[in-house]
Amino acid sequence: MQSILKTLLLFLTMIYFNNVSKIYKDAVALDDVTLTIAAGEFVSVVGVSGSGKTTLAKMILADENPTNGTVFFESTNVHKLKNKDLTKLRRRIGVVFQDFKLLQNKTAYENIAFAMEAVSKTDEEIASDVPHVLELVDLSHRIFHFPNQMSGGEQQRLAIARAIINQPELIIADEPTGNLDQINTHEIVQILKKINGLGTTVILATHDRAIIDLVGKRVVTMENGKVIRDTKHAK
Ligand code: ADP
Ligand code: MG
């Protein structure tokens, strides 16, 4: 019985950090982190600036190598992947940043089309999918606008649309509301919850404790590179 449960647990696990540490010259960014995230979860990672949230995200994407420990994505050790397979893994993950990282000389449509072209989607697929994803993030009216013609909240919604267009299994949003006011923050959280409701796993890193109440799901609290708390619900 126990082994059946273990197998089931392994099957549902998307991300597994096994005693992961990351030590930079002047900082311990991650300190012996063990963490499991199941497919379909919405996990808020909270902690003050410098507590290790971004480093945690970078580990999943294999942007950085751990000093110790192992990071698994669906039972694959991500740091053992060769270039081609790493590219494939990264395509299964959508990333959203504080500063949006949109292409300024492209319209909303073109920003998303660009991400689809990168995975060899046809013009027909692009023409049919882009309006849908913009509708999902409530941005249909901005389809032919450039980023600098949009508010911060709209730009972040566009960045989210771009992150989900190729149907990743996981969205990592690192301080996505860091440049936004309260109303726009609320909207971004609602959109991330909607995407999670459609089946995508979400990891949201933030220093803002007010956000974890808005999300109301699992909260992983970090301090000095350690996970000091892991609770099922914010409220
Ligand atoms: P957070 O995202 O929670 O603000 P980070 O993961 O960015 O935290 O940083 C954790 C710690 O690691 C901080 O002390 C930071 O200065 C340090 N750190 C992060 N990246 C680097 C790096 N590339 N080189 C040296 N130190 C780093
Ligand atoms: Mg950070």
Side-chain angles (χ1 to χ4, degrees), residues 67-210:
T67 310
N68 282 303
T70 320
V71 179
F72 295 94
F73 189 98
E74 285 172 2
S75 70
T76 300
N77 178 344
V78 300
H79 295 96
K80 286 264 163 76
L81 291 173
K82 297 279 185 297
N83 282 350
K84 209 173 121 221
D85 290 327
L86 189 55
T87 302
K88 273 193 202 157
L89 170 81
R90 286 177 178 153
R91 284 189 177 154
R92 296 164 66 188
I93 304 172
V95 188
V96 178
F97 302 95
Q98 177 168 355
D99 60 356
F100 321 135
K101 297 203 193 298
L102 296 165
L103 298 168
Q104 294 299 320
N105 61 345
K106 291 188 188 292
T107 62
Y109 184 97
E110 291 164 349
N111 264 278
I112 298 171
F114 192 75
M116 294 183 76
E117 284 157 9
V119 294
S120 307
K121 294 281 171 70
T122 64
D123 288 348
E124 288 72 29
E125 286 172 307
I126 292 170
S128 112
D129 288 0
V130 173
H132 282 300
V133 79
L134 285 175
E135 197 183 327
L136 185 77
V137 299
D138 197 16
L139 217 56
S140 300
H141 57 301
R142 292 292 192 224
I143 187 161
F144 298 124
H145 284 72
F146 290 91
N148 68 10
Q149 298 174 306
M150 299 181 203
S151 73
E154 287 173 337
Q155 290 184 57
Q156 192 58 299
R157 271 145 53 201
L158 174 56
I160 292 173
R162 180 183 56 181
I164 61 172
I165 188 64
N166 295 322
Q167 294 170 310
E169 291 147 70
L170 169 68
I171 293 283
I172 298 177
D174 190 0
E175 303 277 6
T177 61
N179 289 340
L180 304 180
D181 63 20
Q182 217 180 337
I183 292 171
N184 283 302
T185 293
H186 198 99
E187 269 181 21
I188 294 299
V189 169
Q190 293 316 316
I191 285 169
L192 290 173
K193 285 177 80 163
K194 181 155 94 177
I195 292 165
N196 177 244
L198 295 170
T200 309
T201 309
V202 177
I203 299 176
L204 166 61
T206 179
H207 68 278
D208 183 356
R209 296 203 65 88

Side-chain angles (χ1 to χ4, degrees), residues 10 13-20 33-38 60 69-78:
L10 209 64
T13 297
M14 175 177 272
I15 292 157
Y16 176 42
F17 277 63
N18 189 15
N19 299 110
V20 177
V33 170
T34 293
L35 184 69
T36 304
I37 296 175
I60 298 168
T70 320
V71 179
F72 295 94
F73 189 98
E74 285 172 2
S75 70
T76 300
N77 178 344
V78 300

Side-chain angles (χ1 to χ4, degrees), residues 48-55 98 174-175 205-206:
V48 298
S49 174
S51 58
K53 306 179 297 293
T54 295
T55 306
Q98 177 168 355
D174 190 0
E175 303 277 6
T206 179

